[in-house]
Amino acid sequence: MHATIHEMTPAPTSPDVALDVQRIRADFPILRQQVHGKPLAYLDNAATSQKPQPVLDALLRFYTEDCSNIHRGVHQLSERATAAYERSRGKVRRFLNAAEGREIIFVRGTTEGVNLVAYAFGRQRVTAGDEILITAMEHHSNIVPWQILCEEKGARLLVAPINDAGELRLEEFEKLLRPRVKLVSVTHVSNALGTVNPVEEIIRMSHARGIPVLLDGAQAAPHMKVDVRELDCDFYAFSGHKVFGPTGIGALYGKAALLDAMPPFQGGGDMIRSVTFEKTTYNSLPYKFEGGTPHIAGAIGLGAAIDYVMGIGMDRIAAYERSLLEYGTQALENISGVRLIGTAKEKAGVLSFVLEGVHPHDVGTVLDQEGIAVRTGHHCAQPVMERFGIPATTRASLAFYNTHEEVDTLAAGIQKVKELFG
Ligand code: 7TS
């Protein structure tokens, strides 16, 4: 059972090599089922993605063979659990190409990663009159933590606008890089629109004014190669459950110098060096930010998920998904009454749309009867809905295990909605 998931070396990546999707699908047991008597077409990957067998195996193995707390036991099980947990940190480091393992903090997910920065960095660096700059396409988890911080500090939240295609208006963004801006926090890829932001430009412009940048990588990490050193971002947060790993685990990357200078986030066990009632000293990175027993199994499962996607190759995944997105865009554009919301030139696998005269919830309910899983609603991005003057969209979001046939099924499902509500 101690198979060699950790030892697996990523295959050489060449975007030219097509994916063997049927072979990949065989690794995802959940995809084999039928829903309402129809084969499941899982197109809700932006909400959460499915887990390949190696991830399931890693979780089961931890709980059946190695279950123990970490960083404290001298016994075998604790040593094995600690080694596996720390090995996963190394995998996350390689996944993001961070320089050092201590720059990787295990968190619950993107939400906790952003909150950690808002709490630890924000409370130390932001004072009355300062500003935080975000964009109009952020998920609520990259809005609300900054509002809480701003309210507490008497600081101000600035929002860079987007155009009708759902692209950031970069010249307006640049104008908002004012002297009092203490942090720029921007999504790498929008969950509601699919827009891939020009993050290199954003970082270059911000750094030119000495402003650090946090990237919300929740929707980028599952779909493209991320290189935090090449990007030179200061913080990068992502969620394990969207990169085919377990729920309740994710990672925050931060440059060591920044993390080192930040106060802790949560006090408790493991994050201290020594405690007396008079004075407590904190542990070194990354442990200073990992108070309490972490999601050990989750971190190990995330490591297995990273092995899995890197084994396929992020460039191949991106190339395949691009073809699927182009195919899906065509298919939906050919249906009269469908309006795509989010038509940026640079997009990742999201097809968000409204269908004339039919509420998105009705669209989603009919599609569900056809075995098609999509999300309907505001996608935790209410300001995006407001920007486009709509209450909600239906969103199909893709992963590398989706097929062109599933996109056809989606298009046929939408036709059926039209017949029913026509
Ligand atoms: N940022 C973006 C861009 C997201 O898409 C999400 C989750 C988050 C942050 C928060 O991630 P979490 O794992 O901490 O919850 N987005 C979605 C979605 O689009 N549908 O369900 C969750």
Side-chain angles (χ1 to χ4, degrees), residues 46-47 109-111 139 141 187 189 191 216 218-219 239 241-242 375 395:
T110 308
T111 301
H139 185 277
S141 64
T187 196
V189 172
N191 70 315
D216 169 349
Q219 299 295 346
S239 300
H241 70 98
K242 295 188 204 281
R375 184 164 172 197
R395 181 189 67 184

Side-chain angles (χ1 to χ4, degrees), residues 1 55-66:
M1 270 259 294
V55 171
L56 306 175
D57 290 344
L59 292 172
L60 190 64
R61 190 170 58 239
F62 171 72
Y63 282 124
T64 50
E65 297 178 22
D66 300 336

